[in-house]
Amino acid sequence: MAAPRSYEMSELQVHPQATLDACQARASCETCGKSVKFYCYYCCTLVPGLAGKVPRIRLPFRLSVVKHAGELDGKSTALHAKVVAPEDVEIVTYSADCLGDADPRRCALLYPGPGATEAGEMDFALVDRVVVIDGTWSQAKRMVRDHAGLRSMQRVTIAPRRTRFWRYQSLGDSHLSTIEAIYFLYRDSAGSGYGGEYDALMYFYKYFYEHIQANYAAVPERQFTTRQRSGYIAYDSAVPAANPRPARRDTSVKTSYEFDDDLGLGDVFAEETA
Protein backbone atom coordinates (compact mmCIF):
# COMPACT_ATOMS: atom_id res chain seq x y z
CA MET A 1 0.00 0.00 0.00
CA ALA A 2 1.31 3.44 -0.92
CA ALA A 3 2.20 5.83 1.87
CA PRO A 4 -0.60 8.31 2.65
CA ARG A 5 -0.02 11.77 1.27
CA SER A 6 -0.90 15.01 2.99
CA TYR A 7 -3.44 17.53 1.83
CA GLU A 8 -3.86 21.13 2.88
CA MET A 9 -7.08 22.72 4.06
CA SER A 10 -5.98 25.93 2.37
CA GLU A 11 -6.33 24.16 -1.02
CA LEU A 12 -10.09 23.75 -0.60
CA GLN A 13 -12.12 26.27 -2.59
CA VAL A 14 -14.55 27.01 0.23
CA HIS A 15 -14.26 29.77 2.81
CA PRO A 16 -16.65 29.16 5.70
CA GLN A 17 -15.08 31.24 8.45
CA ALA A 18 -16.80 34.59 7.98
CA THR A 19 -20.23 33.04 7.40
CA LEU A 20 -20.11 30.64 10.35
CA ASP A 21 -18.39 33.08 12.70
CA ALA A 22 -21.34 35.42 12.12
CA CYS A 23 -23.77 32.66 13.12
CA GLN A 24 -22.77 31.89 16.70
CA ALA A 25 -26.17 31.94 18.39
CA ARG A 26 -28.11 28.72 18.70
CA ALA A 27 -31.43 28.51 16.88
CA SER A 28 -34.41 26.18 16.77
CA CYS A 29 -34.54 23.69 13.94
CA GLU A 30 -37.56 24.52 11.80
CA THR A 31 -38.40 20.81 11.46
CA CYS A 32 -37.91 19.26 14.91
CA GLY A 33 -37.58 22.33 17.13
CA LYS A 34 -34.28 21.27 18.73
CA SER A 35 -31.84 24.01 19.68
CA VAL A 36 -28.79 23.70 17.42
CA LYS A 37 -25.98 25.69 15.88
CA PHE A 38 -25.23 25.75 12.15
CA TYR A 39 -27.30 22.66 11.27
CA CYS A 40 -29.59 20.14 12.92
CA TYR A 41 -27.91 16.80 13.66
CA TYR A 42 -31.23 15.01 13.42
CA CYS A 43 -32.82 16.61 10.35
CA CYS A 44 -29.60 17.58 8.52
CA THR A 45 -31.01 21.00 7.71
CA LEU A 46 -29.39 24.39 8.15
CA VAL A 47 -30.55 26.82 10.81
CA PRO A 48 -32.69 29.62 9.32
CA GLY A 49 -29.88 32.18 9.56
CA LEU A 50 -27.68 30.18 7.21
CA ALA A 51 -30.24 29.49 4.52
CA GLY A 52 -28.77 30.47 1.17
CA LYS A 53 -25.35 31.24 2.67
CA VAL A 54 -23.85 27.72 2.75
CA PRO A 55 -22.94 26.00 -0.53
CA ARG A 56 -25.42 23.50 -1.89
CA ILE A 57 -24.21 21.12 -4.58
CA ARG A 58 -25.24 18.16 -6.70
CA LEU A 59 -23.15 15.00 -6.81
CA PRO A 60 -22.51 12.82 -9.88
CA PHE A 61 -23.73 9.64 -8.18
CA ARG A 62 -25.93 8.84 -5.22
CA LEU A 63 -24.43 8.27 -1.78
CA SER A 64 -25.93 6.15 1.00
CA VAL A 65 -24.34 6.52 4.44
CA VAL A 66 -25.05 3.52 6.67
CA LYS A 67 -24.55 4.71 10.24
CA HIS A 68 -23.88 2.36 13.14
CA ALA A 69 -26.61 2.68 15.78
CA GLY A 70 -23.97 3.54 18.38
CA GLU A 71 -22.55 6.43 16.36
CA LEU A 72 -23.70 9.65 18.00
CA ASP A 73 -25.34 12.16 15.69
CA GLY A 74 -23.33 15.02 17.16
CA LYS A 75 -20.10 13.13 16.48
CA SER A 76 -20.76 12.19 12.86
CA THR A 77 -18.96 14.16 10.17
CA ALA A 78 -20.98 12.27 7.52
CA LEU A 79 -23.88 14.63 8.22
CA HIS A 80 -21.93 17.40 6.50
CA ALA A 81 -22.47 15.66 3.17
CA LYS A 82 -26.22 15.49 3.69
CA VAL A 83 -26.39 19.17 4.65
CA VAL A 84 -24.60 20.43 1.52
CA ALA A 85 -25.87 17.79 -0.95
CA PRO A 86 -29.32 16.87 0.37
CA GLU A 87 -30.70 15.67 -2.96
CA ASP A 88 -27.98 13.07 -3.50
CA VAL A 89 -27.14 11.84 0.02
CA GLU A 90 -29.19 9.67 2.34
CA ILE A 91 -28.27 8.60 5.86
CA VAL A 92 -29.74 5.41 7.30
CA THR A 93 -29.12 3.50 10.51
CA TYR A 94 -27.62 0.05 10.12
CA SER A 95 -30.13 -2.79 10.27
CA ALA A 96 -30.98 -5.96 8.35
CA ASP A 97 -33.07 -3.94 5.87
CA CYS A 98 -31.11 -0.68 5.90
CA LEU A 99 -30.52 -0.87 2.14
CA GLY A 100 -34.22 -1.05 1.34
CA ASP A 101 -34.83 -2.31 -2.18
CA ALA A 102 -31.33 -1.46 -3.41
CA ASP A 103 -29.76 -4.17 -5.55
CA PRO A 104 -26.30 -4.96 -4.06
CA ARG A 105 -25.13 -5.88 -7.56
CA ARG A 106 -25.72 -2.27 -8.60
CA CYS A 107 -24.01 -0.77 -5.55
CA ALA A 108 -20.39 -0.16 -4.64
CA LEU A 109 -19.07 -0.14 -1.08
CA LEU A 110 -16.33 2.31 -0.13
CA TYR A 111 -14.07 -0.11 1.67
CA PRO A 112 -10.34 -0.83 1.30
CA GLY A 113 -8.77 -4.21 0.78
CA PRO A 114 -7.90 -6.78 -1.89
CA GLY A 115 -10.08 -6.52 -4.97
CA ALA A 116 -11.20 -2.95 -4.33
CA THR A 117 -11.15 -0.71 -7.42
CA GLU A 118 -9.53 2.72 -7.21
CA ALA A 119 -12.18 5.45 -7.49
CA GLY A 120 -10.34 7.02 -10.40
CA GLU A 121 -10.64 3.77 -12.35
CA MET A 122 -14.26 2.86 -11.59
CA ASP A 123 -17.11 3.51 -14.01
CA PHE A 124 -19.72 4.96 -11.68
CA ALA A 125 -22.31 4.94 -14.46
CA LEU A 126 -22.59 1.21 -13.79
CA VAL A 127 -23.72 1.61 -10.17
CA ASP A 128 -26.86 3.12 -8.68
CA ARG A 129 -25.15 4.29 -5.53
CA VAL A 130 -22.03 4.12 -3.40
CA VAL A 131 -22.41 3.00 0.21
CA VAL A 132 -20.23 4.45 2.96
CA ILE A 133 -20.17 3.10 6.50
CA ASP A 134 -20.19 5.58 9.37
CA GLY A 135 -18.73 4.10 12.55
CA THR A 136 -15.46 3.09 14.12
CA TRP A 137 -13.23 0.75 12.15
CA SER A 138 -14.15 -2.23 14.33
CA GLN A 139 -17.86 -1.41 13.94
CA ALA A 140 -17.46 -1.14 10.17
CA LYS A 141 -15.79 -4.54 9.92
CA ARG A 142 -18.59 -6.18 11.89
CA MET A 143 -21.26 -4.46 9.82
CA VAL A 144 -19.77 -5.68 6.55
CA ARG A 145 -19.15 -9.17 7.92
CA ASP A 146 -22.70 -9.57 9.25
CA HIS A 147 -24.72 -7.99 6.42
CA ALA A 148 -25.02 -10.14 3.30
CA GLY A 149 -25.84 -7.15 1.07
CA LEU A 150 -22.83 -5.11 2.18
CA ARG A 151 -20.59 -8.15 2.06
CA SER A 152 -21.52 -8.95 -1.54
CA MET A 153 -21.00 -5.48 -3.02
CA GLN A 154 -18.12 -4.62 -5.29
CA ARG A 155 -15.66 -2.42 -3.46
CA VAL A 156 -14.19 0.93 -4.30
CA THR A 157 -11.30 2.62 -2.54
CA ILE A 158 -9.45 5.93 -2.60
CA ALA A 159 -5.80 6.84 -2.78
CA PRO A 160 -4.41 6.98 0.79
CA ARG A 161 -4.32 10.37 2.46
CA ARG A 162 -3.18 11.58 5.86
CA THR A 163 -6.15 12.60 7.98
CA ARG A 164 -6.62 16.05 9.44
CA PHE A 165 -9.13 14.77 11.99
CA TRP A 166 -8.92 16.19 15.51
CA ARG A 167 -10.11 13.09 17.35
CA TYR A 168 -7.36 10.66 18.26
CA GLN A 169 -7.55 7.06 17.11
CA SER A 170 -4.86 4.42 17.41
CA LEU A 171 -5.05 2.98 13.87
CA GLY A 172 -2.76 5.51 12.24
CA ASP A 173 -3.18 8.72 10.30
CA SER A 174 -4.20 6.98 7.06
CA HIS A 175 -7.62 6.27 8.62
CA LEU A 176 -9.77 9.20 7.56
CA SER A 177 -12.87 10.71 9.13
CA THR A 178 -16.04 9.78 7.27
CA ILE A 179 -16.43 13.13 5.53
CA GLU A 180 -12.81 13.08 4.39
CA ALA A 181 -13.36 9.64 2.86
CA ILE A 182 -16.55 10.83 1.14
CA TYR A 183 -14.84 13.93 -0.19
CA PHE A 184 -11.88 12.05 -1.63
CA LEU A 185 -14.20 9.45 -3.13
CA TYR A 186 -15.82 12.16 -5.25
CA ARG A 187 -12.58 14.01 -5.85
CA ASP A 188 -10.77 10.87 -7.04
CA SER A 189 -13.75 9.88 -9.20
CA ALA A 190 -13.24 13.08 -11.21
CA GLY A 191 -9.69 12.10 -12.13
CA SER A 192 -7.04 14.60 -13.17
CA GLY A 193 -9.67 17.07 -14.34
CA TYR A 194 -10.93 17.82 -10.82
CA GLY A 195 -11.63 21.54 -10.40
CA GLY A 196 -12.91 21.90 -6.85
CA GLU A 197 -16.56 21.17 -7.61
CA TYR A 198 -16.95 18.90 -4.55
CA ASP A 199 -14.91 20.96 -2.07
CA ALA A 200 -18.16 22.09 -0.45
CA LEU A 201 -18.41 18.63 1.14
CA MET A 202 -15.60 19.82 3.43
CA TYR A 203 -17.24 23.16 4.28
CA PHE A 204 -18.01 22.45 7.95
CA TYR A 205 -15.02 20.17 8.42
CA LYS A 206 -12.66 22.92 7.28
CA TYR A 207 -14.30 25.38 9.66
CA PHE A 208 -13.98 23.09 12.68
CA TYR A 209 -10.38 22.23 11.82
CA GLU A 210 -9.31 25.86 11.41
CA HIS A 211 -11.26 26.91 14.51
CA ILE A 212 -9.37 24.34 16.57
CA GLN A 213 -6.00 25.34 15.10
CA ALA A 214 -6.64 29.03 15.75
CA ASN A 215 -7.68 28.57 19.37
CA TYR A 216 -4.84 26.26 20.31
CA ALA A 217 -2.28 28.39 18.45
CA ALA A 218 -3.43 31.43 20.43
CA VAL A 219 -2.98 29.66 23.78
CA PRO A 220 0.11 27.42 23.46
CA GLU A 221 -0.18 26.27 27.07
CA ARG A 222 -3.56 24.73 26.35
CA GLN A 223 -3.25 20.97 26.72
CA PHE A 224 -4.91 18.06 25.00
CA THR A 225 -4.49 14.32 25.12
CA THR A 226 -0.82 13.42 24.88
CA ARG A 227 -1.71 10.59 22.50
CA GLN A 228 -2.63 13.02 19.75
CA ARG A 229 0.07 12.95 17.08
CA SER A 230 2.97 15.33 17.48
CA GLY A 231 2.72 18.54 15.49
CA TYR A 232 -1.04 18.39 15.00
CA ILE A 233 -1.38 22.04 16.00
CA ALA A 234 0.56 24.15 13.49
CA TYR A 235 1.75 26.72 15.99
CA ASP A 236 4.10 28.31 13.46
CA SER A 237 1.55 28.81 10.69
CA ALA A 238 -1.95 28.84 12.19
CA VAL A 239 -3.52 32.27 12.58
CA PRO A 240 -4.23 32.64 16.31
CA ALA A 241 -7.82 33.37 17.29
CA ALA A 242 -8.48 36.96 18.30
CA ASN A 243 -10.58 35.90 21.30
CA PRO A 244 -9.33 32.43 22.20
CA ARG A 245 -10.76 30.27 24.91
CA PRO A 246 -8.69 30.18 28.12
CA ALA A 247 -6.50 27.16 28.77
CA ARG A 248 -8.10 24.21 30.48
CA ARG A 249 -5.79 21.60 31.85
CA ASP A 250 -8.31 18.93 32.69
CA THR A 251 -8.33 16.63 29.64
CA SER A 252 -10.28 13.88 31.38
CA VAL A 253 -13.67 15.53 30.84
CA LYS A 254 -16.08 13.28 28.97
CA THR A 255 -17.19 14.69 25.66
CA SER A 256 -20.69 14.70 24.21
CA TYR A 257 -19.28 15.33 20.71
CA GLU A 258 -21.76 18.16 20.29
CA PHE A 259 -19.71 20.52 18.13
CA ASP A 260 -22.45 23.12 18.40
CA ASP A 261 -22.04 23.17 22.17
CA ASP A 262 -20.09 26.41 21.81
CA LEU A 263 -17.41 24.40 19.95
CA GLY A 264 -15.99 23.12 23.22
CA LEU A 265 -12.36 22.78 22.28
CA GLY A 266 -11.45 20.94 25.44
CA ASP A 267 -13.40 17.99 24.07
CA VAL A 268 -12.28 17.70 20.46
CA PHE A 269 -9.13 15.75 21.23
CA ALA A 270 -10.98 12.96 23.00
CA GLU A 271 -9.95 9.45 22.03
CA GLU A 272 -11.91 7.52 19.45
CA THR A 273 -13.49 4.41 20.95
CA ALA A 274 -13.11 1.04 19.27
Side-chain angles (χ1 to χ4, degrees), residues 29-73:
C29 171
E30 292 185 317
T31 302
C32 70
K34 293 185 182 297
S35 177
V36 294
K37 182 184 286 186
F38 303 149
Y39 60 88
C40 179
Y41 299 140
Y42 309 98
C43 305
C44 295
T45 54
L46 292 166
V47 298
L50 287 179
K53 299 178 181 178
V54 171
R56 181 166 176 165
I57 62 173
R58 294 301 305 266
L59 300 174
F61 50 85
R62 187 178 179 186
L63 181 75
S64 293
V65 177
V66 178
K67 188 167 73 71
H68 189 275
E71 189 78 353
L72 300 178
D73 292 317

Side-chain angles (χ1 to χ4, degrees), residues 61-177:
F61 50 85
R62 187 178 179 186
L63 181 75
S64 293
V65 177
V66 178
K67 188 167 73 71
H68 189 275
E71 189 78 353
L72 300 178
D73 292 317
K75 172 186 172 184
S76 175
T77 60
L79 305 187
H80 302 177
K82 177 66 175 175
V83 173
V84 301
E87 296 170 285
D88 300 308
V89 178
E90 67 172 357
I91 298 180
V92 298
T93 301
Y94 175 79
S95 67
D97 60 352
C98 61
L99 297 176
D101 59 358
D103 183 352
R105 295 170 297 181
R106 293 281 304 173
C107 299
L109 177 66
L110 180 61
Y111 201 84
T117 302
E118 289 275 352
E121 300 174 0
M122 174 168 278
D123 184 355
F124 289 97
L126 299 178
V127 299
D128 296 328
R129 74 181 77 186
V130 173
V131 177
V132 174
I133 296 175
D134 190 25
T136 65
W137 184 241
S138 59
Q139 288 169 344
K141 288 192 290 186
R142 289 194 297 270
M143 291 161 71
V144 173
R145 180 195 65 201
D146 297 341
H147 195 287
L150 294 173
R151 193 170 61 245
S152 65
M153 290 178 186
Q154 59 181 309
R155 296 184 181 182
V156 60
T157 190
I158 56 178
R161 267 82 170 195
R162 186 170 291 113
T163 185
R164 295 288 183 175
F165 203 24
W166 45 85
R167 191 172 301 120
Y168 173 81
Q169 48 85 12
S170 61
L171 298 174
D173 61 6
S174 64
H175 287 74
L176 304 178
S177 66

